[in-house]
């Protein structure tokens, strides 16, 4: 690209015969452009001639500006709006120090369920005072499966059913508790119904295994009563994992 050339009138006048002055035109060209120190004066100088001017410019640099303050954004209030309303965000601060107040509508109420609201809990659940239930609370203590043993020994552990039935015909039956991994800090209670049909008899093992350790059997207000044919004896067995002991309680006897 060639340098810009501008024709300008000069002060040079050339006389010609007849008394007429001829005005001669020259050229103007931009020469160098130099950046000067900030605060100095701007300069323009002609490094050419009057007819062929070459202008050299000196332009001072500008001063450095001050750094601006960093903008901030903070969360103000968070409000729950009514269902169906529009969520909103409002700046209650400034453009450089924003404080946002937020409104979030809550959801609509869901459709009611079709269940009865009953809760069925497993035997090993733990309920605290903060648990709340609506409807009927059912645990395995309300209705339980009954294990039935006929003319055979009954060997229990901490996972056995709480309610047990024994039918004695013509053999001897031993009731024992044998458990190698019953955890400490727990008790287990069994309700046992012993129905004698024939001539057999029963006994309770006096050396139970509780958590892998041999314990003892204690009959409360013992000994156990005899039962005859067509009689039913109701007993309760409480297994104490910490004491390593089985307590036997006689609940009563009935004839059929």
């Amino acid at each position: 690209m060639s340098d810009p050339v501008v024709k300008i009138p000069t002060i040079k006048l050339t006389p010609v015969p007849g008394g007429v002055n001829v005005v001669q035109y020259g050229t103007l060209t931009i020469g160098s452009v130099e950046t000067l120190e900030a605060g100095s004066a701007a300069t323009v100088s002609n490094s050419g001639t009057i007819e062929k001017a070459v202008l050299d410019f000196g332009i001072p640099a500008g001063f450095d500006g001050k750094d601006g303050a960093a903008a901030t954004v903070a969360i103000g209030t968070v409000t729950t709006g009514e269902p169906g309303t529009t969520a909103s965000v409002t700046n209650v601060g400034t453009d450089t120090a924003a404080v946002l107040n937020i409104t979030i509508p809550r959801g609509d109420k869901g459709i009611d369920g079709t269940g009865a609201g009953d809760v069925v809990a497993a035997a090993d659940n733990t309920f605290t005072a903060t648990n709340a239930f609506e409807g009927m609370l059912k645990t395995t203590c309300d209705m339980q499966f009954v294990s039935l043993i006929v003319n055979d020994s009954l060997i229990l552990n901490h996972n056995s059913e709480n309610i047990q039935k024994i039918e004695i015909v013509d053999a001897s039956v031993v009731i024992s508790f044998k458990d190698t991994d019953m955890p400490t800090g727990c008790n287990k209670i069994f309700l046992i119904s012993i129905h004698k049909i024939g001539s057999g008899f029963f006994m309770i093992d006096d050396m139970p295994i509780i958590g892998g350790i041999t314990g003892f059997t204690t009959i409360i207000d013992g000994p156990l009563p005899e039962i005859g044919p067509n009689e039913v004896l109701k007993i309760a067995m409480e297994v104490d994992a910490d004491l390593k002991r089985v307590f036997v309680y006689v609940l009563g006897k009935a004839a059929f």
Side-chain angles (χ1 to χ4, degrees):
M1 179 181 295
S2 60
D3 293 333
V5 177
V6 180
K7 292 183 177 181
I8 58 173
T10 65
I11 60 173
K12 183 177 180 181
L13 299 177
T14 303
V16 297
V20 178
N21 293 329
V22 177
V23 179
Q24 293 183 341
Y25 289 86
T27 60
L28 184 147
T29 304
I30 302 300
S32 63
V33 178
E34 181 183 0
T35 301
L36 306 178
E37 294 292 330
S40 60
T43 63
V44 179
S45 61
N46 182 8
S47 59
T49 64
I50 295 178
E51 293 85 356
K52 295 182 179 181
V54 178
L55 300 184
D56 297 326
F57 291 87
I59 302 174
F63 291 99
D64 290 337
K66 295 182 179 179
D67 293 337
T72 60
V73 177
I75 302 299
T77 61
V78 179
T79 305
T80 301
E82 293 298 321
T85 59
T86 303
S88 64
V89 178
T90 304
N91 182 11
V92 296
T94 64
D95 291 341
T96 57
V99 178
L100 304 181
N101 289 347
I102 303 173
T103 300
I104 303 173
R106 65 173 177 267
D108 292 324
K109 180 181 178 182
I111 300 174
D112 293 338
T114 58
D118 295 343
V119 177
V120 179
D124 57 354
N125 280 0
T126 300
F127 298 97
T128 66
T130 58
N131 292 119
F133 298 93
E134 294 182 1
M136 181 181 296
L137 173 63
K138 294 181 180 179
T139 70
T140 52
C141 292
D142 294 328
M143 290 190 297
Q144 296 187 40
F145 178 78
V146 178
S147 295
L148 175 62
I149 299 294
V150 178
N151 226 34
D152 197 1
S153 294
L154 175 61
I155 302 177
L156 302 170
N157 59 55
H158 76 279
N159 291 317
S160 300
E161 301 292 340
N162 292 78
I163 301 178
Q164 301 284 335
K165 282 185 179 180
I166 301 175
E167 289 185 359
I168 303 175
V169 183
D170 54 6
S172 61
V173 173
V174 179
I175 303 174
S176 39
F177 185 88
K178 297 186 182 298
D179 195 315
T180 58
D181 57 356
M182 182 175 181
T184 59
C186 299
N187 280 21
K188 178 78 174 185
I189 297 178
F190 300 98
L191 298 178
I192 303 175
S193 177
I194 305 169
H195 184 195
K196 185 173 181 179
I197 299 175
S199 59
F201 63 92
F202 83 98
M203 61 182 295
I204 296 178
D205 185 6
D206 60 356
M207 298 182 68
I209 305 298
I210 304 173
I213 299 175
T214 301
F216 301 93
T217 297
T218 299
I219 300 175
I220 305 299
D221 298 329
L224 294 174
E226 295 289 337
I227 56 174
N230 295 320
E231 288 186 337
V232 174
L233 177 66
K234 299 283 188 177
I235 66 173
M237 286 181 57
E238 178 188 4
V239 183
D240 192 313
D242 294 330
L243 297 178
K244 300 295 185 287
R245 188 172 292 271
V246 173
F247 297 98
V248 179
Y249 305 85
V250 176
L251 302 180
K253 185 172 66 170
F256 289 89

